[in-house]
Amino acid sequence: MAANKKEIVVLGAGVIGLQTALTLLENGYGVTIVAKHWPGDDDINYASMKAGAHWRTHAGPEDILGQKFDTETYQYWKGLLDEGVEGTGLEILPDIPTSETTNNGAAIWWSTVVGNYRVMDPAELPTGAHFGVIYESFCINPSKYCDFLLGRLGDLGIKTITTEVDSLEEVFELPGIEDDDNVVGMVNCIGLAAKELAHDERVFPTRGQTILVKGEAEMARLRRGDGWICYVIRRPGQGTILGGSYQEDDWNADLDETLSTRIQERCAALAPELLVDGKFDIISQQVGRRPSRRGGPRIEVKWTKHNGSERLICHHYGHSGAGCVINLQNEEIEKDLMISRYQNSYGSAKEAVRLINQSLKR
């Protein structure tokens, strides 16, 4: 490790951990990522690989910080595509969310952020829908995007350690970290594991179940009804994701065949172009545990003493539980059924690094 260069350890290699590590490196820090799982791994608790994933904000009109995170991420991704950067796993294409709940879209703050936004004419709406919009969104291949981030990290000199730790303090005792006086702190991006390692009782799993099918949908589509939601999201180069479900505090890892059937039935009207003899051609089905947090994500800096030295710990997790959010509705709803970390990953990483810089007086 370079002398006199402040070193930060990032715990966790999901999309939040990878993006935070990249932002730290771009701000002049040396960075080591410590993680049990890496892009491409298949584990129910490694939710970044199981996300839809795409850009659709979940920040409400009063959530100024959430709006900032989502806007900056949208602009960052657009910049990558405008610059012709290859291998991102990103594609920009139309997104059409519709609602069976009567509203006029007054809560949609993001109409000026996205490209080609417009409210749908009533004649365009599917049967039963009362409101809908069309705009340019991003669909993401999660594995490819995280591989892209990891590749950029490698180009900038990232260091990695593959291991599992039983406490946050143990990170500072790992070989190569324990004896390095340049290590000034860590960023805790461990998602669901924060319930135990950070002793955060607000953290809980949200069970999600999706289906990967053959063919790439023409566009992303979402339909919201009374107590349910369904969506199709193109996964570039791989197929299309059908969803979804949102089951709080549900640790069940088994596939729910009844739910699978219901997802397919609801999604058939959203992507008829993918049907073969009236059915989807299924590649795989998956269950994941979204790392949710009551009250929203935690992004804050704390100081701790380790072996007589002051060390910074920046907590940066819980992005899959945004508390009360507003999507297409005019009124607040208690939860959104499809919450993702991807759409705010760049903006929230910038905020975490800003707090670290401020704490270290850089």
Side-chain angles (χ1 to χ4, degrees):
M1 294 184 179
N4 301 321
K5 186 176 187 178
K6 288 185 172 66
E7 298 280 340
I8 301 284
V9 182
V10 174
L11 180 61
V15 65
I16 296 295
L18 295 171
Q19 185 64 70
T20 302
L22 181 57
T23 306
L24 284 165
L25 281 168
E26 292 172 342
N27 275 259
Y29 292 96
V31 181
T32 299
I33 299 179
V34 175
K36 178 182 179 181
H37 299 294
W38 298 92
D41 288 357
D42 183 11
D43 187 275
I44 191 171
N45 294 319
Y46 189 39
S48 286
M49 294 299 101
K50 298 180 180 293
H54 79 322
W55 191 98
R56 183 179 290 129
T57 183
H58 303 284
E62 307 303 321
D63 184 5
I64 303 304
L65 195 58
Q67 293 178 20
K68 181 174 182 289
F69 294 167
D70 292 355
T71 298
E72 289 177 342
T73 304
Y74 188 98
Q75 293 170 343
Y76 173 66
W77 288 346
K78 188 172 188 306
L80 291 175
L81 295 189
D82 287 348
E83 294 168 11
V85 178
E86 298 182 351
T88 63
L90 297 168
E91 282 189 9
I92 193 165
L93 73 164
D95 191 349
I96 303 181
T98 60
S99 174
E100 294 187 3
T101 302
T102 303
N103 63 71
N104 60 13
I108 300 180
W109 62 268
W110 41 272
S111 59
T112 58
V113 174
V114 299
N116 293 324
Y117 172 92
R118 69 176 178 86
V119 176
M120 296 176 69
D121 185 272
E124 298 178 277
L125 294 172
T127 302
H130 294 284
F131 180 77
V133 301
I134 300 176
Y135 68 98
E136 286 186 345
S137 182
F138 293 89
C139 290
I140 310 159
N141 183 315
S143 183
K144 284 186 177 181
Y145 183 67
C146 288
D147 273 338
F148 163 74
L149 292 177
L150 192 57
R152 283 207 158 183
L153 288 165
D155 293 340
L156 293 174
I158 191 70
K159 299 166 285 290
T160 63
I161 299 175
T162 303
T163 191
E164 184 176 13
V165 297
D166 296 322
S167 69
L168 298 182
E169 292 74 17
E170 186 181 338
V171 172
F172 296 123
E173 299 170 358
L174 294 173
I177 295 175
E178 182 179 18
D179 299 325
D180 193 327
D181 294 334
N182 293 323
V183 175
V184 296
M186 64 173 289
V187 188
N188 167 20
C189 300
I190 50 175
L192 189 58
K195 183 175 181 66
E196 301 297 332
L197 271 64
H199 311 293
D200 190 339
E201 292 302 317
R202 294 185 177 186
V203 174
F204 64 96
T206 299
R207 183 183 182 277
Q209 182 171 314
T210 60
I211 306 168
L212 178 65
V213 300
K214 290 184 179 180
E216 296 193 353
E218 296 173 353
M219 60 189 69
R221 296 184 179 94
L222 175 145
R223 185 77 176 271
R224 183 191 300 280
D226 184 12
W228 59 269
I229 193 170
C230 64
Y231 54 85
V232 298
I233 302 172
R234 182 190 296 184
R235 181 169 283 185
Q238 194 173 8
T240 296
I241 287 288
L242 314 180
S245 66
Y246 186 102
Q247 298 159 293
E248 290 187 354
D249 288 306
D250 190 337
W251 294 86
N252 182 20
D254 296 330
L255 191 71
D256 183 334
E257 294 290 353
T258 301
L259 176 59
S260 176
T261 298
R262 189 160 63 243
I263 289 172
Q264 293 176 68
E265 290 173 347
R266 288 173 173 167
C267 288
L270 299 185
E273 70 273 18
L274 301 182
L275 299 176
V276 179
D277 296 328
K279 296 181 179 180
F280 291 105
D281 192 347
I282 296 175
I283 298 173
S284 64
Q285 302 188 64
Q286 43 276 327
V287 175
R289 295 180 181 134
R290 302 179 182 96
S292 305
R293 185 174 186 271
R294 292 180 177 87
R298 183 185 185 189
I299 310 177
E300 64 175 339
V301 170
K302 299 288 186 180
W303 287 90
T304 186
K305 275 195 174 182
H306 184 79
N307 292 337
S309 299
E310 291 280 343
R311 297 285 178 87
L312 172 151
I313 297 181
C314 177
H315 296 288
H316 188 198
Y317 61 83
H319 292 272
S320 193
C324 284
V325 296
I326 295 178
N327 197 333
L328 287 178
Q329 316 288 52
N330 285 328
E331 70 278 6
E332 285 192 335
I333 58 176
E334 291 183 357
K335 54 183 174 283
D336 194 291
L337 298 183
M338 180 185 60
I339 298 176
S340 170
R341 293 157 301 283
Y342 282 80
Q343 87 280 345
N344 71 3
S345 56
Y346 177 76
S348 65
K350 284 184 63 178
E351 176 65 11
V353 175
R354 184 190 70 80
L355 292 176
I356 291 170
N357 287 340
Q358 179 179 298
S359 298
L360 297 174
K361 295 181 171 58
R362 285 174 60 114

